């Protein structure tokens, strides 16, 4: 009998699962507080960034106190006999996004071997209060075995917890990964182009690759707003656009260590930038990690590594046109 199904039947229904999730979340938020008040200073050669831990605890205590707890640990995602180097596609997703995950699995997130790399996807998910969404996620996890579920609730600010918890998960459960692509489920990803890029880039394992935002301005309005009390400075450190970037596994230990002393910033891509700065790691910018603004032309997708904000139907059309119908002269390996 299925793992989740057994637990649900033995405890009287799906309600028990959600009740347990909420209890675990409250316990987690109350337990084991992180670093106490203090200030962290991070110079980047141009600006010295200051993070006041007391301000983060005052405004976002739930981000600082949370300790990563997996409800679905994803034990088997990276297991297997020794073989080609592993490119792990780590995809931030929401329990409600079952259609997006299904499209990804049919197209760019299919497991296989590609140009000398083993490609495997993992979907990084928090908890939804909607039982129907969680039931669908349970079925997916049982069928595909590619879900990691933590016991925090999905929200805009809690995306930073996915960054923090994912670093621990990789270190503990996926040491086999050689490179990790971090992205979202609402985009087109091009693993053949990523593999070609890795094979052609000298010292690819020494830097973090992405569309690097250089000293982006701090927003005080919109959903990306940050208060002056939390972060009074006008500029952020450099960070890779959260829509998609590549990191070598060699960077994970330093990033995980940095996450132990850096307050959890409420914007996930900026938070990652602080971790990179604290770790002393370097970037390599490449515009083929598209954020927005690319013309919607099939052959341009073949040149891109990732294109953010693509509809599900268009993802299917692009994948079919590039790699099944071969309507563009795309150079690169084919997934097998």
């Amino acid at each position: 009998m299925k793992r989740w199904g057994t637990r649900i039947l033995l405890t009287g229904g799906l309600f028990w699962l959600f009740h347990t999730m909420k209890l675990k979340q409250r316990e987690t938020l109350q337990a084991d507080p992180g670093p106490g008040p203090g200030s962290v200073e991070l110079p980047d050669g141009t600006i010295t960034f200051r993070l006041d831990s007391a301000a983060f605890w005052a405004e976002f205590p739930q981000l600082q106190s949370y300790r990563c707890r997996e409800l679905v640990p994803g034990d088997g995602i990276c297991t297997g006999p020794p073989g080609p180097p592993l490119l792990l596609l780590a995809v931030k997703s929401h329990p409600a996004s079952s259609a997006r995950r299904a499209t990804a699995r049919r197209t760019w997130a299919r497991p296989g071997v590609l140009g000398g790399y083993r490609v495997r996807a993992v979907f990084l998910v928090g908890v939804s209060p909607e039982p129907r969404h969680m039931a669908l996620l349970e079925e997916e996890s049982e069928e595909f075995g590619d879900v990691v579920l933590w016991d925090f609730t999905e929200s805009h600010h809690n995306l930073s917890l996915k960054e923090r918890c994912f670093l621990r998960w990789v270190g503990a459960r996926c040491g086999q990964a050689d490179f990790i692509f971090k992205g979202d489920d609402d985009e087109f990803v091009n693993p053949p182009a990523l593999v070609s890029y890795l094979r052609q880039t000298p010292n690819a394992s020494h830097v973090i690759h992405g569309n690097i935002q250089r000293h982006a301005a701090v927003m005080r309005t919109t959903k990306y707003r940050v208060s002056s009390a939390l972060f009074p400075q006008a500029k952020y450190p450099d960070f890779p656009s959260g829509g998609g970037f590549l990191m070598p596994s060699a960077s994970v230990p330093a990033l995980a260590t940095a996450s132990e002393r850096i307050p959890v910033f409420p914007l996930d891509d900026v938070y990652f930038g602080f971790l990179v700065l604290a770790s002393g790691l370097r970037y390599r910018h490449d515009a083929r990690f598209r954020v927005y603004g690319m013309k919607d032309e099939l052959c341009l997708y073949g040149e891109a590594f990732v294109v953010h904000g693509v509809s599900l139907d268009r993802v299917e059309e692009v994948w079919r046109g590039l790699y099944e119908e071969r309507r563009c002269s795309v150079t690169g390996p084919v997934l097998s």
Side-chain angles (χ1 to χ4, degrees):
M1 189 176 289
K2 294 181 178 180
R3 183 177 63 250
W4 286 18
T6 301
R7 183 165 60 185
I8 292 168
L9 289 172
L10 289 176
T11 53
L14 191 60
F15 172 78
W16 179 88
L17 177 61
F18 284 93
H19 181 64
T20 302
M21 287 177 175
K22 300 305 288 184
L23 286 176
K24 285 184 175 180
Q25 189 172 18
R26 286 199 294 271
E27 292 169 0
T28 303
L29 292 176
Q30 294 169 359
D32 191 17
S39 181
V40 177
E41 293 193 351
L42 300 170
D44 73 354
T46 302
I47 302 174
T48 296
F49 300 94
R50 294 177 177 84
L51 302 176
D52 182 357
S53 293
F56 282 83
W57 275 94
E59 195 163 337
F60 291 98
Q62 75 280 10
L63 296 183
Q64 316 313 315
S65 63
Y66 179 75
R67 289 296 172 264
C68 304
R69 188 184 315 215
E70 299 149 359
L71 296 175
V72 178
D75 287 325
I77 291 172
C78 297
T79 58
L86 174 61
L87 170 61
L88 181 69
L89 308 177
V91 186
K92 289 173 285 186
S93 190
H94 188 289
S97 299
S98 58
R100 291 179 179 177
R101 290 188 295 275
T103 295
R105 290 185 183 107
R106 286 193 297 268
T107 57
W108 53 265
R110 286 188 297 173
V113 177
L114 182 63
Y117 279 83
R118 183 164 61 102
V119 179
R120 187 77 164 96
V122 56
F123 294 93
L124 313 176
V125 190
V127 172
S128 166
E130 173 55 58
R132 179 172 56 89
H133 296 157
M134 298 304 297
L136 288 173
L137 186 70
E138 171 196 347
E139 293 176 4
E140 291 178 44
S141 178
E142 292 291 347
E143 181 176 356
F144 299 103
D146 59 2
V147 170
V148 174
L149 173 67
W150 288 281
D151 66 352
F152 59 77
T153 301
E154 285 282 353
S155 72
H156 174 60
H157 291 140
N158 281 355
L159 290 174
S160 294
L161 296 179
K162 288 189 183 180
E163 295 292 341
R164 191 169 195 251
C165 294
F166 175 73
L167 291 170
R168 284 155 180 71
W169 181 85
V170 169
R173 302 185 188 274
C174 196
Q176 303 93 320
D178 294 85
F179 286 94
I180 300 152
F181 171 83
K182 289 292 301 300
D184 299 331
D185 61 9
D186 62 340
E187 57 194 18
F188 170 79
V189 182
N190 196 346
L194 287 172
V195 166
S196 293
Y197 171 80
L198 289 175
R199 294 170 64 183
Q200 296 166 9
T201 303
N203 299 320
S205 62
H206 296 173
V207 296
I208 291 171
H209 313 257
N211 193 313
I212 310 305
Q213 309 300 299
R214 304 288 185 184
H215 286 165
V218 177
M219 294 185 182
R220 304 301 182 190
T221 60
T222 78
K223 74 172 184 178
Y224 302 108
R225 66 185 179 275
V226 172
S227 72
S228 297
L230 185 79
F231 189 70
Q233 294 175 259
K235 301 288 186 181
Y236 286 131
D238 298 346
F239 61 85
S241 171
F245 62 91
L246 269 172
M247 53 190 286
S249 61
S251 66
V252 170
L255 291 168
T257 298
S259 74
E260 296 291 342
R261 68 183 188 93
I262 301 299
V264 180
F265 203 87
L267 301 177
D268 57 332
D269 49 5
V270 175
Y271 176 53
F272 188 80
F274 278 118
L275 296 183
V276 171
L277 181 57
S279 302
L281 299 170
R282 297 181 297 112
Y283 293 118
R284 186 180 189 275
H285 174 80
D286 197 299
R288 288 173 289 182
F289 292 92
R290 300 280 188 174
V291 184
Y292 289 102
M294 191 187 82
K295 291 178 66 175
D296 188 19
E297 295 180 3
L298 177 64
C299 295
L300 292 180
Y301 284 91
E303 300 170 1
F305 300 146
V306 57
V307 183
H308 204 261
V310 183
S311 72
L312 299 185
D313 288 344
R314 188 57 175 153
V315 169
E316 300 256 21
E317 290 172 357
V318 168
W319 187 265
R320 184 169 58 251
L322 291 178
Y323 297 117
E324 295 174 10
E325 299 171 359
R326 294 283 174 173
R327 289 163 50 195
C328 294
S329 57
V330 177
T331 59
V334 178
L335 192 67
S336 60

